[in-house]
Amino acid sequence: MGLSKIFERTNLVKINIEKVILMTLLVIVLATASGGVLYAGPGNSGRINIHPGTVQFRVEEPVSEVPANHMLVIHRNKKDVQGNVYYTVVDNSKSPIDLARYIVAKTPYYSDYQPLDSPVLFLAKEDDRATIELKLRLDSLFWRLVPDGKYDLHLVSDKGKSVNIKIWVNKVSFMVVTPDNINIVADNGPGTYYSQETASVYINSANNKWLLDIRATPLFYQGDNNEALVIEPGNIYISTDRLKNYRSLADVYRISGERYGNVANLNFYIKVDVGTEHFAGDYKGQIILTVSGQ
């Protein structure tokens, strides 16, 4: 068979980018009260109830907000408890920043969530019952400065019972890869062919101690030929520059976060070497990206 026959039709090399994140997860068993109020706050606390109890937030990924594990219901036990009922959050934890301002409440008396580092109306004087929704709002300052661990806060009022708030912080390395597939068209005989698409990798980590490892599986021939035809990883190359500095994936290609910081946006370009031994047809394999860190 001559060379003109080997590539008589378009040779589509499909590379599926598999997203893998390796990390150490902290497994936490949290025993909570089955319901009711945990303890009474100051003042006339026996007449205003708020339940079902402990509010929990779990922070793992750099999202904009985290919902509480449940809503709260506040109600009056006796009609002789008069006036509006306000609640605020007190942060007695060892956090380097005041976490009270990150907790917000949605009540029937406001059109939007209100920060709980100052008093917020939970129950108006004309009402006997209200439902409250809490969220933890995050920003880059929280993500950078608050270490992993457990933080205890309190939701308090001078007319109602108090509720424990627990914030569990277990920040992990977070990676997004797009697109899911990279196509390379080899349509002109043996040679080197480049991807038209860019593989974009976004990494957000708690620090710059992350490592990104890139490796490739062989690209396997998808046709009916009985021969086990492959394009080996040594003939697959990757670079952050479209025109130069390509690295063979015969071995693992490692990138250190110390060069980029805790947040990185990386664009990768792929090329493959196709030889005379490769039949015309489709070849498919994977490029596997693994991010790990401290």
Side-chain angles (χ1 to χ4, degrees):
M1 179 181 296
L3 293 183
S4 61
K5 292 292 186 180
I6 295 177
F7 292 93
E8 61 186 8
R9 69 180 181 86
T10 298
N11 185 5
L12 180 63
V13 181
K14 298 179 180 178
I15 301 177
N16 178 41
I17 298 177
E18 178 180 320
K19 291 166 279 188
V20 181
I21 299 179
L22 296 183
M23 64 195 75
T24 301
L25 293 178
L26 176 63
V27 179
I28 301 172
V29 178
L30 173 64
T32 63
S34 59
V37 180
L38 296 180
Y39 64 88
N44 195 14
S45 60
R47 296 180 180 178
I48 298 293
N49 279 327
I50 186 166
H51 59 85
T54 300
V55 173
Q56 303 170 32
F57 299 98
R58 293 186 178 273
V59 179
E60 294 180 333
E61 297 179 355
V63 294
S64 60
E65 58 186 31
V66 177
N69 59 320
H70 58 69
M71 292 187 179
L72 294 173
V73 177
I74 181 171
H75 63 89
R76 303 178 194 270
N77 280 339
K78 297 181 180 180
K79 291 293 185 179
D80 58 352
V81 177
Q82 302 297 320
N84 295 329
V85 180
Y86 292 86
Y87 271 85
T88 189
V89 169
V90 176
D91 180 7
N92 292 321
S93 71
K94 296 181 180 180
S95 168
I97 58 177
D98 182 14
L99 297 178
R101 70 183 183 89
Y102 288 91
I103 301 176
V104 295
K106 181 70 177 296
T107 82
Y109 313 108
Y110 304 91
S111 60
D112 198 3
Y113 287 87
Q114 302 298 309
L116 280 165
D117 57 345
S118 59
V120 173
L121 179 61
F122 271 33
L123 187 64
K125 59 184 178 181
E126 65 272 15
D127 293 331
D128 292 331
R129 184 183 182 92
T131 300
I132 312 298
E133 183 180 354
L134 300 184
K135 287 184 178 181
L136 179 68
R137 285 185 171 167
L138 307 180
D139 58 16
S140 59
L141 188 67
F142 183 105
W143 191 255
R144 292 198 313 269
L145 297 184
V146 180
D148 286 359
K150 183 186 73 171
Y151 299 89
D152 293 317
L153 297 83
H154 300 99
L155 182 67
V156 299
S157 171
D158 63 347
K159 293 185 178 180
K161 294 186 177 181
S162 300
V163 175
N164 280 351
I165 297 177
K166 294 184 180 293
I167 301 176
W168 301 91
V169 180
N170 181 29
K171 293 178 285 190
V172 300
S173 295
F174 181 75
M175 179 171 64
V176 177
V177 181
T178 56
D180 290 330
N181 294 278
I182 295 291
N183 297 317
I184 300 176
V185 179
D187 57 358
N188 195 30
T192 299
Y193 294 89
Y194 295 80
S195 63
Q196 298 302 310
E197 303 123 320
T198 301
S200 297
V201 179
Y202 171 75
I203 296 173
N204 195 321
S205 180
N207 52 51
N208 68 345
K209 303 301 182 183
W210 55 267
L211 298 171
L212 176 63
D213 289 337
I214 305 173
R215 62 184 179 88
T217 68
L219 305 182
F220 292 97
Y221 180 63
Q222 303 297 300
D224 296 330
N225 192 287
N226 292 329
E227 296 185 47
L229 299 175
V230 298
I231 298 175
E232 296 291 349
N235 292 322
I236 305 170
Y237 302 84
I238 192 167
S239 176
T240 56
D241 188 316
R242 184 185 291 274
L243 300 177
K244 59 184 179 180
N245 298 327
Y246 279 85
R247 294 279 301 269
S248 169
L249 292 179
D251 299 309
V252 174
Y253 174 29
R254 169 166 286 184
I255 296 176
S256 172
E258 293 183 351
R259 178 180 174 185
Y260 295 94
N262 66 305
V263 177
N265 285 286
L266 304 172
N267 291 321
F268 290 103
Y269 303 91
I270 315 295
K271 72 175 184 178
V272 296
D273 287 341
V274 177
T276 57
E277 70 276 16
H278 298 121
F279 289 180
D282 293 350
Y283 292 77
K284 184 181 294 185
Q286 295 176 320
I287 291 180
I288 301 172
L289 299 95
T290 304
V291 64
S292 59
Q294 299 178 0

